[in-house]
Amino acid sequence: MEATSTILLNNVINVMTFTESLGRLYALWLREFKVFIRERSRLIASTFTPVLWLFVIGSGFGSTHPSTGVVDYQKFIFPGIVCMSVIFSSVFFGSYIIWDRKFDFLKSVMVAPVSRDIVFIGKTLGGMPNSLVQAAILLVIGLTIGINMDFISLVQTVIIVLLLSFSLTSVGLTIGSYIESLEGFQLIISFVVFPLFFLSGALFPLKSLPLWLLLLSAIDPATYAVDSLRAAILGISSYSFSIDVVVLLVFTIILAIFGSYSFRRMRAV
Amino acid sequence: MIAIRDLVKKYSNLTAVDGLNLDIYESEVFGLLGSNGAGKTTTIHMLATLLKPTSGTAIVNGYDIVTQSAKVRSSVGIVFQAPSSDDMLTGYENLKLHSWLYNVPRQIRAKRIAEVLDLVGLTQRKDDQVKKYSGGMRRRLEIARGLIHKPKVIFLDEPTLGLDPSSRESMWEYIKRLVKEEKITIILTTHYMEEADLLCDRIGIIDKGKIIVLDTPSRLKEMIGGDVIKVRLSHEKQPNIELLKKFSFVHKVEQSNEDGLIHLSVEDANRNLPIILKYIDTEWVEYTSPTLNDVFLKSTGRNIKEEPEGGFMEKFARYDQK
Ligand SMILES: Nc1ncnc2c1ncn2[C@@H]1O[C@H](COP(=O)(O)OP(=O)(O)OP(=O)(O)O)[C@@H](O)[C@H]1O
Ligand SMILES: [Mg+2]
């Protein structure tokens, strides 16, 4: 009898701390969201480059690049370009943790009774709206090059964009948590972002890669995002959609664990 | 309320806080007074669990800062030396965010935010983005934020740093209101003597990471000696001068060789000067009270700088580099 009531009590406490954590998570996310809404220039800057790639590389190389098979080259790279926009903006989002630290905002969060895991997840979720809106803009632009999507593929696209965004925002924040200066961060992410992008098969079919590059591309989470997005939008892929999503999910979890760990050991002052 | 025991913080080869022992009582305003680099911020950061002590510990609100840091954090508020609100958000949104972080119950959240906004006089400007606030308003918002969860203790790290004299005075008014209305224990650091004198019940002077003197402002000043009254007599030969020496509040009466005036060392000149003036005819009077600066000078052998070198912006720049 007593044992049951203790268990019950513990559960009540757990539920309470759980809803408290959700509240804190929501508050931290909301702050990122408001900043995102008020800083629209961020969005324009980060959508511009992918659009440029879509039209310059897409139509420029399209005429000289026959090996993609069933669809024309511009359509072929369209899912890759969507992923590109998510890769760049998500990893770059890591720099905002450096800003938070510079302006002491982070200190005010860390002095509150909030676990570092919550701080990490809240910040990571804060990167989602940007990625989603960017993808939406690109999908609208996609209409002009003949990319038409039904409801199912739209839902699939949203899932993939969210997963990719979460995993790469984790990467960006992990790096940001170790680095003090913005300049240092810029330098380091350029070593991260370009390999992630080029190895993902965004611009060419993976089967044209030599084996050692193929192996590297297998440990690039963006590979699975590009592949599954191609499955969703164009109906062509190297692996199946569900395998891609499962692998991406595993990457997301692993990268989130890394991120939480680095936030826990991050110095508060 | 707070019991600090052998607290030490070392940065590689520099000892920022050097074996601090200190007790702070409930509902008092305690001032940590020290010049730049004395270790004030480091001490406060350790008490708020942002920094791990190298050794030693402290009990804050009954919780150990090393082993029970989460509990300490829920029960203290802190206002940092540099403003830390998000300046893209409005004042209200910043407070809302922190009310969530501190898990202020939903039913009282709005009321509490309104209360603290009113306390620091920001109700009118609550919906403006913080980037549109003046320096003084930002600092007041920080105080409101520090109070949002009704902490038992609040740390104010140099609350008037970089404010002009009039905003500084109004900040003092807000702090005094805080003392009256919130009944919490306040630990504030400062290097402004008058601020410590005006606001604090007790003052600890900290130098090179150690508390070197600790007492109430008035007793600290007594340590230096009483007030000094200087008078020029309207005519020579006043027999009552000798009589003055009989008063218990008069310690010393002598004719100065430097200025030719009579110097009287007395207790509490505010009260006793009128009495003295009844006994002697004077044509000119002046009196000076010892200041905390004299106390600081005497105990550290140095003057405290009234302004940090280069003033406010440079200090912030320096702080930024960490
Ligand atoms: N992160 C750090 N790494 C190395 N040394 C540090 C660090 N933080 C502070 N110090 C040093 O510790 C000493 C105490 O610094 P602290 O910031 O506590 O002084 P303070 O009394 O708050 O001074 P101020 O009035 O300038 O704010 C200084 O000599 C400072 O240079
Ligand atoms: Mg300081």
Side-chain angles (χ1 to χ4, degrees), chain B residues 1-5 21-25 28 30 202 214:
Chain B
M1 203 71 202
I2 298 181
I4 304 174
R5 295 290 172 264
N21 280 291
L22 182 61
D23 287 284
I24 293 165
Y25 310 127
E28 76 171 330
F30 187 89
R202 286 193 309 149
L214 171 72

Side-chain angles (χ1 to χ4, degrees), chain A residues 20 23-24 26-28 31 34-35 38-39 101-105 107-108 110-114 268-269, chain B residues 45 50-51 73-74 78 80 82-84 86 88-89 93 97-98 100-103 129 145 319-320 322:
Chain A
E20 280 171 14
R24 289 170 175 146
Y26 167 72
L28 288 168
R31 176 245 174 181
K34 283 182 176 150
V35 173
R38 285 166 202 178
E39 286 252 56
R101 201 177 312 132
K102 257 205 160 45
F103 292 118
D104 279 339
F105 176 81
K107 208 153 73 176
S108 79
M110 286 187 168
V111 83
V114 182
V269 284
Chain B
H45 280 170
L50 281 168
L51 265 181
R73 276 184 277 148
S74 328
I78 181 167
F80 298 111
S84 64
D86 187 334
M88 291 295 290
L89 300 184
E93 287 166 342
L97 168 63
H98 278 84
W100 280 96
L101 293 183
Y102 281 94
N103 197 38
Q129 276 183 305
R145 196 204 63 212
Y319 198 78
D320 232 24
K322 304 261 156 74

